[in-house]
Amino acid sequence: GYVLNDQTVEMLVGQSLNVLLSLTNHGPSVATQHRLTSLLPEGLEWVGADLPPDRILTNDQMLVLLLDPLPAGARAEVVVTLRAVLPGEFLLTFKAVADEAELEPADNRDPQPGLIERPADLALAGTLTPAEVLTGQPLVFVLTATNLGPFAVTNVLLEGRFVPALAPDQADL
């Protein structure tokens, strides 16, 4: 079997994800002709793996990684790199398959949940009037948040701190 982890992967569109796949042959025989397979979920695209090119088969979203024979009790690791291309939730599953009889087929897959979020480029600009103020006079800050894209954003939170000498009187949003 192999293990990813139990945490939901959170990433942005355009980011890469390195997945460490750790396989252990629990025996009793050598796993010859064994491989890892995955139907990559929508939103993720294949980038590469730390295997020779002739050991990697891809066809659209289907991925097959051909592995060296693995003796009973031995462990192997493969790093797969994927890229987030569409926002949304996904479930990434790799399955270990061998030509030999399998004693525990249930431990040959471990689904990994994930969330791909849309990136946003927010720009914050501000003005202060008047430029100089005497103690007790009002001071006006005007802050403007602009979304430069490429995706829409929601729930924008603007936080700030005031020095003790400045007490906020009101905020118009």
Side-chain angles (χ1 to χ4, degrees):
Y2 74 94
V3 176
L4 292 171
N5 67 47
D6 295 330
Q7 301 297 317
T8 297
V9 174
E10 293 187 16
M11 54 195 304
L12 298 174
V13 171
Q15 285 185 320
S16 292
L17 172 66
N18 291 320
V19 181
L20 173 62
L21 302 170
S22 179
L23 296 96
T24 302
N25 180 358
H26 295 289
S29 60
V30 173
T32 59
Q33 308 299 315
H34 74 289
R35 56 212 170 271
L36 287 170
T37 64
S38 180
L39 181 59
L40 297 178
E42 185 176 309
L44 291 176
E45 74 178 6
W46 164 253
V47 175
D50 62 348
L51 291 171
D54 64 334
R55 311 285 299 197
I56 302 167
L57 307 172
T58 60
N59 182 3
D60 289 326
Q61 294 298 99
M62 177 54 90
L63 174 63
V64 178
L65 305 173
L66 306 173
L67 305 174
D68 291 329
L70 194 61
R75 184 176 131 166
E77 292 183 343
V78 177
V79 176
V80 173
T81 303
L82 307 170
R83 183 176 18 259
V85 292
L86 293 172
E89 294 181 4
F90 65 86
L91 188 63
L92 176 61
T93 303
F94 280 87
K95 180 179 179 184
V97 180
D99 290 346
E100 290 75 26
E102 175 60 54
L103 299 177
E104 294 288 336
D107 72 353
N108 286 2
R109 68 178 74 215
D110 185 17
Q112 175 68 53
L115 175 64
I116 302 171
E117 298 179 316
R118 295 176 174 178
D121 184 4
L122 292 177
L124 183 64
T127 59
L128 174 66
T129 55
E132 293 183 20
V133 65
L134 299 175
T135 302
Q137 288 184 319
L139 183 62
V140 177
F141 290 99
V142 176
L143 298 172
T144 305
T146 304
N147 180 5
L148 302 175
F151 297 103
V153 295
T154 58
N155 301 318
V156 175
L157 175 65
L158 179 61
E159 294 181 330
R161 293 187 188 162
F162 291 93
V163 295
L166 293 176
D169 182 38
Q170 66 182 36
D172 293 325
L173 299 177

